[in-house]
Each structure stands twice: as structure tokens, then as C-alpha cells.
Amino acid sequence: MALAVREILGSLADEERRQIVYDGDLLVFKAVSPMREFCAFTDALIRESLDTGDPVRAQFEMDRDDYLARIETLQKRFREHEDAKRLFLAALESTGVDLGRICWDWLYLRVLPSGEEYASGRAAKLGHHRDTWSSNVYSQTNWWAPIYPITAGRTLAFYPDYWSRPLNNTSGVWDLEEVRVRRRAGEPVALVPEPEEPVDTASELRPVISPGDLLCFSGAHLHASVPNATGIARFSVEARTVDTGDAALNVGAPNVDGASPRVALNWFREVRGGASLAEAADPRET
Ligand SMILES: [Fe+2]
């Protein structure tokens, strides 16, 4: 099956969107109106936190450690900011998401500076992975948006061939609690499960969308950050949502190679109610 990138002007019915995502197509919601305010809000926070008039080149205005410390503070401020959440949820709602049906984990501001010297550590890019290798939640839907203009050298890459093709990976032995303990101890550790064989990149797809657009895709897609050598940092925002009803019924994308021993329902909380997905979608009650 050939997977597609579908551009949507306006909204989609919640159920239709879920089905498209579970079938593997990528959705780009164009010029989502609350995203204009969201990007302006985030831009202001970035400028203030980095103390710069040129956010995408700020890494060249200060030394690496100072830059990374400022990024860390920025990410924390962003994550805790009620306006960020409010505006992003308004954007989801305007694409047709029924906020009463979903759980999410958190809103994350990812910064991918340009250049090899940032290839490890906190601002490192994410390698090839499926989010479902770690969450094991096949109704998980990912949302992704750039704050500033991006190019094919500064975006996400997808590998549609692997939608239905297994890739050997470490999900069967990966454990988030162990990752946390080892990170606290300062040990090098993979933040997400990794492939255990070379990735065939023949089907690579690099969507280039505009600030104000929202990319929506299944957490079961194999994807990665494109290594950034453009001389301009990538600032993007991401969130993961799960439809509570679908999670309860085990409806979602196919699992072709995930082997995680447990389902991470407790990573997600209701947007409206606040209960964890583990409580909201307890399969024993369905
Ligand atoms: Fe991911």
C-alpha cells in the first residue's frame, strides 16, 4: 500500500482522522489558525530565554554550555506554561480533535542546533524509531509543528516502507525506569529503543511544512530527526495524544515489530478530566 501525505485545509471529523492515521497516511493541517498565536507566543519565549534577536542562529552568539543551559531553561518554562498548553489544545480542537476523548503526555519544545558538536547530549537528534516501540500504545497519534521555517535538511524523516515491514529493534529489552536510573547516574543510555539492523532508507520522506501547519501521524511510523547541518537551528513542538475509546478497545495502527513487555498507559493523562489513560481506558472494564 502506498502511503500518502494528505494536506487538509480546515478540519476533519475526529473518527475520520483517527482512521487515516491508523492506516498510515500522514496528515498536514494547513494554516491552523490558533497556531499563528502559538508560534508567536513560543517565539517570544525563545527570544527571551536565549536573550537573542536571532533565535535560529543564537548558538553562534554564545558558547555551547551557555546555549544548552538556556535551552534547558527554555524547555522547562515552555512545558510548564499554561498559555502554551491552552493555545496548542485550541489548535488541536480546530483540526477536529474532540478534546473530551483524548489523553496526552506533554507538550515538548525540541531544539535541534546545527552541527556535529551538538550530535550528543541533551540537544541530540533522535535516531530511527517508532514511538510505539516504547509506549506500546497503537492508537498513539503524534503531532508536530515547526516554530520557524524548515527545509528538507531541517525536518523529520519518515520511512513508509517500514509501515508494514518489521525492523529488528531493542524494544523487547528497553525499560523507561532503567533509562531514568542510568541517566541520573550519568551513564550513556538510549533514550528510546533502537534498530538492531541497518535501516533501508529507500522510501525516506521528508515533509517540509510551514510554521502554522500541524503534522499528524501514527506513533507506529518509523521516523527520525534529519541531521541538521543547515547552519540554522530547528525549533519544533511535539505532543502525543491517545484516543481513550480506541485505547480501551485496542484499536489503532498495526504492530509489526514492537516487543515491549508492557503497555505504557500511565504516560498519558486526560486533557479534560486529568485521569491517567490507565484508569480511563482500563481494558478490564470493556
Ligand atoms: Fe518519535
Side-chain angles (χ1 to χ4, degrees):
M1 182 181 71
L3 303 177
V5 181
R6 299 200 204 180
E7 292 195 347
I8 309 292
L9 278 169
S11 64
L12 270 184
D14 192 283
E15 193 171 350
E16 187 182 0
R17 184 203 69 254
R18 277 149 46 214
Q19 196 55 56
I20 291 170
V21 167
Y22 300 159
D23 286 343
D25 283 354
L26 273 55
L27 287 169
V28 179
F29 290 95
K30 300 293 293 176
V32 179
S33 59
M35 286 301 288
R36 181 199 294 261
E37 194 183 342
F38 176 84
C39 287
F41 160 82
T42 307
D43 171 54
L45 199 66
I46 293 168
R47 285 171 190 269
E48 190 184 307
S49 301
L50 301 185
D51 190 19
T52 181
D54 190 5
V56 295
R57 291 181 189 81
Q59 69 183 91
F60 305 113
E61 297 171 354
M62 57 192 92
D63 70 37
R64 183 178 183 276
D65 288 348
D66 186 21
Y67 181 72
L68 291 177
R70 285 171 182 269
I71 293 292
E72 194 168 345
T73 304
L74 163 67
Q75 288 171 321
K76 188 165 184 296
R77 286 180 70 194
F78 177 80
R79 182 171 164 171
E80 291 169 354
H81 211 298
E82 286 304 319
D83 287 349
K85 292 181 200 168
R86 177 178 58 78
L87 290 167
F88 196 81
L89 289 174
L92 291 188
E93 194 165 31
S94 80
T95 69
V97 173
D98 179 348
L99 298 181
R101 291 186 60 100
I102 58 164
C103 292
W104 66 338
D105 55 355
W106 60 72
L107 197 53
Y108 183 68
L109 175 61
R110 192 176 294 279
V111 184
L112 202 62
S114 181
E116 274 300 302
E117 64 272 36
Y118 291 97
S120 64
R122 218 186 144 69
K125 75 180 188 74
L126 280 179
H128 302 102
H129 69 284
R130 305 185 200 269
D131 284 31
T132 47
W133 283 347
S134 42
S135 74
N136 217 359
V137 176
Y138 284 83
S139 47
Q140 184 188 313
T141 299
N142 288 17
W143 299 85
W144 188 88
I147 303 302
Y148 305 115
I150 58 170
T151 63
R154 199 167 61 241
T155 183
L156 286 184
F158 291 85
Y159 303 86
D161 277 0
Y162 283 103
W163 180 255
S164 51
R165 175 177 164 188
L167 178 65
N168 287 331
N169 64 83
T170 60
S171 59
V173 294
W174 184 89
D175 180 74
L176 180 65
E177 285 314 308
E178 190 188 326
V179 169
R180 286 180 174 150
V181 169
R182 291 180 59 185
R183 279 194 85 191
R184 273 199 291 271
E187 293 178 38
V189 58
L191 292 181
V192 292
E194 296 175 317
E196 287 191 300
E197 62 175 315
V199 173
D200 173 0
T201 58
S203 66
E204 186 176 85
L205 198 67
R206 296 185 176 194
V208 176
I209 65 173
S210 303
D213 297 348
L214 257 175
L215 176 65
C216 172
F217 60 96
S218 167
H221 256 299
L222 188 72
H223 60 285
S225 301
V226 171
N228 183 3
T230 63
I232 291 173
R234 192 193 94 190
F235 290 75
S236 57
V237 167
E238 61 197 56
R240 283 150 283 269
T241 63
V242 178
D243 183 89
T244 307
D246 287 350
L249 297 170
N250 236 349
V251 170
N255 175 9
V256 293
D257 56 17
S260 173
R262 45 130 192 77
V263 182
L265 294 175
N266 59 348
W267 291 1
F268 303 93
R269 302 199 80 80
E270 286 176 336
V271 164
R272 289 292 187 234
S276 88
L277 182 58
E279 296 155 359
D282 186 342
R284 288 168 301 185
E285 292 181 7
T286 62

